[in-house]
Amino acid sequence: MIGIKEAFALPEGVCYLNAAAIGPIPDVVQQAGIAGISSKRQPWIRDRAAARQMTDELRGLAAGLIGARSSDVAVITAVSYGIATVCAGHRPPPGSRFLVLAGEHTSLSLGLARHAEVHGCTLEIVEPTHGDDWTAALTAALLRPGAAPVSFAGLTPLHWTSGAVVDLSRIIPIIHAQGGVVLVDATQAAGIMPIDVTKLQPDWLVFPTYKWLLGPFHLAFLYVAPQHQEIQPLEQHVGTRQGPNPALVQDSSQLAFASGATRLDSGEPDTFAAIPMGLAALTFMTGWSAEAASAHVSSLTKIIAEGLKSLSLCTVEDRFRSPHILAVRGQSPFPESMVARLAARNVHISVRHGLIRISPHVYNLDADAAQCLTALSYELSR
Ligand SMILES: Cc1ncc(COP(=O)(O)O)c(C=O)c1O
């Protein structure tokens, strides 16, 4: 199944290597969206109980992707929404230290900066000391003699610009030992890299569907470890309350919260389109294991990385390279105009913080790796 281009609207000759920006939806996801939107034309036919069940089925698939229980996952709208939920319910000691990696995505870094400001905490931005060794840099920051304990860290399994991995299994226990908590933004990992929250033990983990899960916008998931599930949701609405039909209860003081992380679901989750599309996308993506998807994309990034060596271009060192995101470093930062120049040769990539970011997915084939190398070699030798 992996490598199946026919399941997507990817014409011959189009080399799309940009899943880290936006994953294209497969045809089955488009069909689920069209069917969902069409049902809004005739709302009287809609089975509300079945729609609710669809949300819970989706929650179960999302939980399965990260080794969680369904009840530990909230269905939300965006990574930034999940981060805002976590921050609203977390009370760090004033004056304590937060950690984030340098150059992190703004949904994470802005959320942490605001959280630190509200509670009078210090946000330390960790820079790598040796190449792309973020794990060593984080360890050094955590164990720096005389530094205050870390109360909160917002981390990623890999850096979103370079794809360099962060060994969270080594970092999270150090933070927990200092009494701190860890929010993992798994946007660039969920579905394409194996994740198991029972082993990793994050306090929270958040990911959207629109990139590696090949789903729609406005749909994301927040895993909440059981010890943090009693917090207040960002919004008050009946979707997070218990009862056969909570909307009809007159005395709202009688409405108990739904159990587990469901109480943190965002409002109006049942958009007619996003939930059916998400369900189709996760069903599609769970047709194989994250290990199999990872092995497929890793074979492609390896071909490209080997070819780049012969062009004398640098990538992240092999030992830190993720299977699915390959960054190219030039002697100086690449300009944004590289995107349009390569697109003119039908090769679609991103430039992030001066790096060319190449991110293949299950629909890419060896021929895409070859097309990408030819285009890079042409553009970079001009
Ligand atoms: C690491 C990371 N986090 C978050 C996001 C997007 O988050 P949001 O759902 O808030 O738009 C991205 C998008 O590129 C990302 O790379």
Side-chain angles (χ1 to χ4, degrees), residues 14 51 60 84 120 139 141 153 180 204 220 241 247 260 280 288 317 323 337 359 375-376:
V14 169
T139 309
W204 305 274
R241 302 299 176 121
W288 44 77
E317 241 183 285
S337 59
S359 50
L376 280 173

Side-chain angles (χ1 to χ4, degrees), residues 19-22 76-83 103-109 155-161 185-189 206-212 217-220 325 352 357:
I22 299 186
I76 57 171
T77 52
V79 169
S80 50
Y81 184 102
I83 294 171
E104 268 300 7
H105 190 273
T106 43
S107 284
L108 183 60
S109 60
L155 301 176
T156 47
L158 68 161
H159 202 283
W160 75 294
T161 59
D185 173 353
T187 300
Q188 298 291 0
V206 63
F207 56 100
T209 65
Y210 75 90
K211 293 180 190 280
W212 296 98
F217 273 91
H218 213 62
L219 183 62
I325 296 185
R352 293 287 183 266
R357 187 183 65 181

Side-chain angles (χ1 to χ4, degrees), residues 307-318:
L308 289 171
K309 274 186 205 155
S310 59
L311 295 174
S312 308
L313 287 165
C314 286
T315 59
V316 165
E317 241 183 285
D318 288 1

Side-chain angles (χ1 to χ4, degrees), residues 79-95:
V79 169
S80 50
Y81 184 102
I83 294 171
T85 301
V86 168
C87 293
H90 174 243
R91 300 268 169 280

Side-chain angles (χ1 to χ4, degrees), residues 185-200:
D185 173 353
T187 300
Q188 298 291 0
I192 197 74
M193 273 174 99
I195 298 179
D196 185 345
V197 291
T198 62
K199 294 203 178 105
L200 209 53

